[in-house]
Every structure is written in C-alpha cells, then in structure tokens.
Amino acid sequence: MFHFMLFTIPNRWTMLLQMVHKSDMSFPPLKNDLIIRAAFGEVVERVPVWIMRQAGRYLPEFREERKKHDFFTICQTPELACEVTLQPIRRFDFDAAIIFSDILVIPQALGMEVLMKPGVGPVFPEPLVHPSDLSKLDTNVDVRTKLNYVYEAITLTRHKLEGKVPLIGFTGAPYTLMGYMIEGGGSKTMSKAKKWLYAEREASHKLLKLLTKVIIAYLIEQVSLNRMRI
C-alpha cells in the first residue's frame, strides 16, 4: 500500500493541502492544476490522468539510464531522479508528474541496507528477525538530513517542469514497510510480518509507531518547505 501526498494523515491534511494550494512565487506558475482542483472536490472539465510507475522500464530512455546507474543511485541523485521523473511528461500529456523515488528510502534512512536486484526486486541483506534487531534502527533519524536528496530532487523537478503540471510525492504505509523490513523483500503472504503481529506484539507496536512517526515527518517536511504542489 502506498500513501500519496493527497490522501495521507486525514486529521492534518486539510491544513497541509491549503499550504500546498497557495501560490508559490519561487516556482514557475502552474499551468495545469486539474488534478489539484479534483483533489479538492471541485467540478473539473475532465478526469485528470496520471499513472503509478509513470517513470519506469516501459520507457526506452529509462532503460538507458538503468544501464548506467543502479536503481537507488538514481533515487539518491537529484539530477537523475529529476530526469527520470520528466521522461514520461515529455512523451505523454499526463496531468501530473510523480517524483521518482521508492518507498524503501524510509528503511534506508533508519539504517537498513536495501539492494535492488535485477529479476528479484528489493532485498534486505539483514532483515529484522528478532525484536532485539530494532535496536539497530536509528530511532532519532532526521529525515531532513537523511532524505534531503528527495527534497532536492523535488525542488529541481518543480523548476524543470516549468509549471506544466503538478508534482506528486508518495511514501509507503507503515505496515507495508514493516513487511519488507521483516520479510527481507517482497512477499505474497507476509507470513513473517504477520507472525510478528501476534507473537511479538510489543515489538510490532514499537516498530509501527516508529515508522508512522518517520513517515509523517517525511511528508510534512515536503509540504512545509513548500516544495510540493501535491
């Protein structure tokens, strides 16, 4: 499950959406606000269009970038993340761009190693196995520092978009991230993570609370710095 910028933290989101909707003179004027108006529940002239995994391997230009750089290098290099974000916008008349990143930047910020293996997907060489493994996580992580490359990529991309369309950000939901961190990668059953929920209840609550705290800080920072349209 993903949390997109428009649909996260309901109790606080009205205020944050108002911040996002305000004009920001430091960025080029927005020419297409269709998806923002739709998100506010306004009647719009047509349904706005954007696609999950909008930037990805279906694009030959993205595949060329992947020949030169590994996945997380692209995520962690603002110029590369920006370029890949813009590739589908150059080809198609989408109503929004989606910043090129990954939900697993959160576990990385907490101190876990994540590799993207071809044909396999994300792999955690040292997943969480026992509750004692939680001590390895950086519980006081400063997302402004650890994930600054995401914020830099967002700022650069907003300028490069030249106001053509808004920019969408996202993150993973707490249990989704917990699942990856315990399973060691993708899983159809999440059997290890589910076992934690009933066998290691205290540790599960601790981990989910930590992830929730970091996720909220991650998203609010993007909005509070006025770097996102949505």
Side-chain angles (χ1 to χ4, degrees), residues 175 178 192-201 204 208:
Y175 182 68
M178 175 181 171
K192 296 176 183 178
K194 289 176 182 176
K195 183 177 180 180
W196 265 57
L197 291 177
Y198 67 82
E200 308 292 353
R201 300 178 82 177
S204 295
L208 288 169

Side-chain angles (χ1 to χ4, degrees), residues 160-214:
K160 292 285 188 178
L161 280 168
E162 299 180 336
K164 183 177 181 179
V165 293
L167 183 61
I168 294 176
F170 64 94
T171 186
Y175 182 68
T176 302
L177 297 179
M178 175 181 171
Y180 274 101
M181 294 163 73
I182 292 173
E183 299 288 341
S187 171
K188 293 183 178 180
T189 62
M190 290 286 193
S191 58
K192 296 176 183 178
K194 289 176 182 176
K195 183 177 180 180
W196 265 57
L197 291 177
Y198 67 82
E200 308 292 353
R201 300 178 82 177
E202 184 177 344
S204 295
H205 279 288
K206 184 177 180 180
L207 177 55
L208 288 169
K209 286 180 179 178
L210 171 62
L211 288 169
T212 300
K213 179 185 75 171
V214 174

Side-chain angles (χ1 to χ4, degrees), residues 136-152:
K136 301 176 183 178
L137 302 180
D138 182 1
T139 57
N140 296 311
V141 61
D142 181 357
V143 294
R144 291 174 296 181
T145 301
K146 287 287 188 178
L147 297 177
N148 187 58
Y149 59 85
V150 178
Y151 304 135
E152 289 186 1

Side-chain angles (χ1 to χ4, degrees), residues 14-190:
T14 299
M15 177 186 69
L16 292 176
L17 276 172
Q18 289 171 351
M19 293 168 57
V20 171
H21 203 49
K22 291 179 181 178
S23 63
D24 178 3
M25 299 306 292
S26 67
F27 294 106
L30 188 60
K31 302 169 186 174
N32 177 350
D33 65 349
L34 190 66
I35 198 168
I36 293 179
R37 288 187 284 121
F40 273 91
E42 297 179 16
V43 176
V44 293
E45 55 271 29
R46 61 177 175 80
V47 176
V49 177
W50 60 273
I51 303 173
M52 279 186 63
R53 304 189 187 279
Q54 194 161 274
R57 55 180 175 254
Y58 75 98
L59 293 173
E61 52 266 48
F62 175 80
R63 294 198 297 271
E64 286 301 312
E65 289 294 337
R66 285 289 280 114
K67 289 178 182 177
K68 296 180 285 186
H69 310 285
D70 67 70
F71 181 85
F72 283 114
T73 294
I74 296 176
C75 292
Q76 295 164 4
T77 307
E79 293 78 11
L80 295 177
C82 173
E83 168 58 25
V84 171
T85 300
L86 295 174
Q87 287 174 351
I89 301 302
R90 297 189 188 113
R91 275 182 173 262
F92 309 110
D93 290 327
F94 292 131
D95 293 302
I98 307 170
I99 194 66
F100 187 82
S101 186
D102 195 88
I103 64 172
L104 299 181
V105 299
I106 296 289
Q108 287 177 330
L110 290 171
M112 297 189 76
E113 182 182 10
V114 188
L115 306 175
M116 191 65 73
K117 293 192 174 182
V120 178
V123 174
F124 288 67
E126 296 184 22
L128 303 177
V129 178
H130 305 289
S132 60
D133 292 335
L134 295 181
S135 64
K136 301 176 183 178
L137 302 180
D138 182 1
T139 57
N140 296 311
V141 61
D142 181 357
V143 294
R144 291 174 296 181
T145 301
K146 287 287 188 178
L147 297 177
N148 187 58
Y149 59 85
V150 178
Y151 304 135
E152 289 186 1
I154 288 168
T155 302
L156 179 60
T157 302
R158 284 202 55 194
H159 282 293
K160 292 285 188 178
L161 280 168
E162 299 180 336
K164 183 177 181 179
V165 293
L167 183 61
I168 294 176
F170 64 94
T171 186
Y175 182 68
T176 302
L177 297 179
M178 175 181 171
Y180 274 101
M181 294 163 73
I182 292 173
E183 299 288 341
S187 171
K188 293 183 178 180
T189 62
M190 290 286 193

